[in-house]
Amino acid sequence: MDPNQIQAPIENYANPKTCLFHVLFKGAALAFYILSALFFNSFVIIFVVTVLLAALDFWVVKNVSGRILVGLRWWNEINDLGESVWKFESLDQESLSRMNKKDSWLFWWTLYLAAAAWFILGVFSLIRFQADYLLVVGVCLSLNVANIIGFTKCKKDAKKQFQQFASQTIASRFQSTVQSAFTLV
Amino acid sequence: MSQGDTVPLHPSSQSDIDEIENLINESIQSGPGTVLAARPPSPTRPSIPVSSSPFMQSNLPPLPPSSSAQKVTPVPVPPPLPVVSNSSNSQGGSQGIGASGFGSPPNTLTEPVWDTVKRDLSRIVSNLKLVVFPNPYREDPGKALRDWDLWGPFFFIVFLGLTLSWSASVKKSEVFAVAFALLAAGAVILTLNVLLLGGHIIFFQSLSLLGYCLFPLDVGAVVCMLKDNVILKMVVVSVTLAWSSWAAYPFMSSAVNPRRKALALYPVFLMYVSVGFLIIAIN
């Protein structure tokens, strides 16, 4: 037998297409912003294309890759009382633990790296006193940060829910055991 | 998971809580008639921020424990159908994920991507119709923009900036940047104005509203771009300006104290007037 076959297979990306899209728009926005100065003179084109790519990335991360890669989703609703409520949705604990580790690693790290990259670019444009480029960076940074905050909150909420559920199940099982113990006596 | 290792799982795969409840009920029926001990109350829904809508169960308001004789409060429970979520995870790519619908509240975690796109697009269209065109829901502004979204405003602002920039013969970049910054910062400041006046409006809802009310000015800008006659421009701009203000009026005025209505509405009008001037002045 080939010794390689006996080893456990190295986990691969479970959703390569989604991972690709997740990274694609972020990378495209950053690349376009950085390289565009070489090709385009017009600020308008740079602004519109970069912000468009960043908005597309926001949508893809929020609605597609968040769901598929880490099983989380967040949104905001206004309830009947007119208050704003943040809603979080997550898969159950079983599916969450079965999520591909590589996928979720990629998801979180590219999120953080992209935000850090935009922040650095923002510092550059601040140093150069380019207010209009600062505008672009500001918009892209805020979109990225919104996603980071939303998903972090969602993850914490999912953990909290699971802990609550676990403690409740333990409590109720304990009750049922105690009850059945009493009835047997 | 070892939840059901002492009890054989029924083929109908009841939820774990239901199984436990059945155990309790059986033990109650076979033993002395003791009242069901109070279960740990479900997490009450906080009045502000975090509320969760779990995968399967909807967030029904929790019943008080004392009233639950047989039927127990639905505690947030992971779905009893690991099969479905399994298949939704293992399918690669962004397409072809099976739709959900086991008769439970809309489960948006496993819907196909195309559904999400369609949902967002239809929300933009419906928000636009609610805000800008006459409809019966304008009587109750709070309800009308319940489903706010920022994509519509984003497109309208960018479109307006592009149109103005296209019409400008010189300094196109500055025109675009100024238009975008003016509209974005203006929306934020106007919202803050309403909040500081003691009005009851939600930040993003107001941003969304002010963005959607730009639609008439967008139309006006396109018309002005196509025809360069000054008189025509003035007429078109005044008409669309009036339309924008009419659209924004009920939402803004209902949010504040009636004595302060003018204070809230005047800056909105001012902003739209300045955009109107920008449209007329560009040639």
Side-chain angles (χ1 to χ4, degrees), chain A residues 154-165:
Chain A
C154 190
K155 201 161 78 145
K156 283 207 193 119
D157 186 72
K159 265 199 202 132
K160 190 179 68 156
Q161 268 208 303
F162 174 64
Q163 279 167 356
Q164 274 175 349
F165 170 71

Side-chain angles (χ1 to χ4, degrees), chain A residues 59 67 73 78 89 91 168, chain B residues 55 75 108 111 120 146:
Chain A
W59 188 89
R67 275 196 283 133
R73 193 169 205 181
I78 302 192
E89 200 178 7
L91 289 177
Q168 272 166 348
Chain B
F55 192 86
V75 176
T108 57
E111 65 182 4
D120 280 342
R146 179 65 48 82

